[in-house]
DNA sequence: CATGGTGATGTCAGTTTCTGACATGACCAT
DNA sequence: ATGGTCATGTCAGAAACTGACATCACCATG
């Protein structure tokens, strides 16, 4: 006789995404999420630091990001890092869409999203630093690459069901070059 | 006999900045802030939506930003908008430094800072749209200009007491051009 | 001068988020 | 079998916020 069902964390994450989609972030209490997942509220807070974080457990995405940082120039390298993340996201488009819709509907979740993206930019900056890039240049390249990623993500979402993330990145990078000239 | 001292809102903002600097954001309760300002906790929440917002009442900065959006190219126009804000910030350097230090010390405050900056980028994007710029191009230009602003702000802070914000912006914009080439 | 409306604040009760401390019991190594 | 470990449960409480209603200086109006 097992005392608890396995993967409480996964059930909590799933329940949270569903409830945020059904009733909105504000209309959902942590007690609701815990109940649907079949655990107590206290267990929720053992797995996730707060009510928002449950949507942002990216696992090892940061590793993918950092390993992808390589290229001819610092900016190209930074963009390549984000492109690697794009490839991961592309494999779960339906999830990405639902999650994106939920976040777009809640300022609280947007805040958390922004700081997560900022931490990605910091990781890219650090990767560039490790490759000997000048600190100021690395920070700027990471921020600009993030801007490209965000724009490319929107482009990918609005480009239909079978859009290619790498293509969206390339197109956005081209648009950037056109802007700066 | 006046029933209350004037400018409760201003006193709350001042008390909050002081206390966040003294004890940190987490170490400060809204009751602490209200007490120092000589009002009740309820009054705090009438003036500010939440505990973070008290540091982010920028007043008419968004107007300055939008009015500053003008230039030869969309990116130049977007950067000009942020440069206009820079000029305002430059006039209150000591305040900017203290506020920046307080925010840097708290992830919660950083989140709010990021979403405020994002809303600035959205305002710039809308201003570009109003000038007939292509939507995708406008969004990207606004995001890139924000990256330039953030980098320029750091540069300005670390460039000594009498640094010129406009100069930091120019230098960062030059760095961007060098990156993209 | 009286009267009544307005607006900023106070008071208070309640919900929700989040934390610390301690208890439980299945599982595992010895 | 015995004891340790680890995920979870239980409980109490602090702090962030919200809604409803009360107060009373001030001000316009007759």
């Amino acid at each position: 006789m097992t005392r608890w069902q396995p993967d409480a964390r996964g059930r909590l994450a799933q329940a949270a995404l569903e409830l945020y989609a059904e009733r909105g972030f504000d209309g959902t209490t942590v007690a609701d999420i815990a109940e649907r997942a079949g655990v107590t509220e206290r267990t929720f807070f053992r797995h996730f630091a707060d009510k928002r974080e449950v949507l942002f457990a990216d696992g090892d995405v940061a590793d993918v990001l950092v390993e992808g940082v390589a290229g001819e120039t610092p900016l190209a390298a930074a963009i390549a890092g984000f492109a690697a993340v794009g490839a991961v996201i592309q494999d779960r488009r339906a999830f990405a869409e639902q999650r994106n819709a939920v976040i777009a509907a809640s300022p609280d979740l947007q805040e958390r999203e922004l700081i997560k993206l900022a931490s990605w930019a910091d990781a890219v900056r650090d990767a560039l630093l490790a490759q000997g890039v000048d600190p100021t240049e690395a920070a700027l390249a990471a921020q600009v690459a993030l801007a490209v990623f965000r724009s490319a993500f929107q482009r990918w979402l609005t480009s239909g069901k079978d859009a290619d993330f790498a293509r969206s990145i390339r197109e956005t990078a081209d648009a950037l070059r056109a802007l700066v000239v």
Side-chain angles (χ1 to χ4, degrees), chain A residues 130-154:
Chain A
Q131 296 176 16
V133 176
D134 164 74
T136 303
E137 194 179 359
L140 183 58
Q143 290 291 326
V144 171
L146 172 58
V148 169
F149 173 77
R150 295 187 61 190
S151 189
F153 180 69
Q154 288 307 316

Side-chain angles (χ1 to χ4, degrees), chain A residues 48-70:
Chain A
F48 304 100
D50 59 53
K51 193 186 164 188
R52 305 172 190 176
E53 193 65 19
V54 64
L55 277 193
F56 297 90
D58 27 8
D60 51 354
V61 172
D63 296 337
V64 173
L65 179 71
V66 169
E67 286 166 19
V69 176

Side-chain angles (χ1 to χ4, degrees), chain A residues 88-109:
Chain A
V88 172
I89 292 174
Q90 188 164 14
D91 290 338
R92 309 198 306 172
R93 177 166 178 127
F95 172 76
E97 277 177 358
Q98 182 175 22
R99 182 172 170 282
N100 191 248
V102 167
I103 292 172
S106 160
D108 286 334
L109 291 173

Side-chain angles (χ1 to χ4, degrees), chain A residues 102-172:
Chain A
V102 167
I103 292 172
S106 160
D108 286 334
L109 291 173
Q110 286 167 48
E111 283 191 349
R112 182 56 50 84
E113 162 108 316
L114 288 174
I115 206 166
K116 286 290 174 180
L117 291 174
S119 77
W120 285 4
D122 288 346
V124 167
R125 180 204 58 202
D126 292 344
L128 290 174
L129 288 178
Q131 296 176 16
V133 176
D134 164 74
T136 303
E137 194 179 359
L140 183 58
Q143 290 291 326
V144 171
L146 172 58
V148 169
F149 173 77
R150 295 187 61 190
S151 189
F153 180 69
Q154 288 307 316
R155 186 185 287 250
W156 175 69
L157 277 185
T158 57
S159 291
K161 205 73 181 171
D162 297 320
D164 178 29
F165 207 120
R167 180 188 175 86
S168 294
I169 293 258
R170 276 196 307 276
E171 289 172 352
T172 307

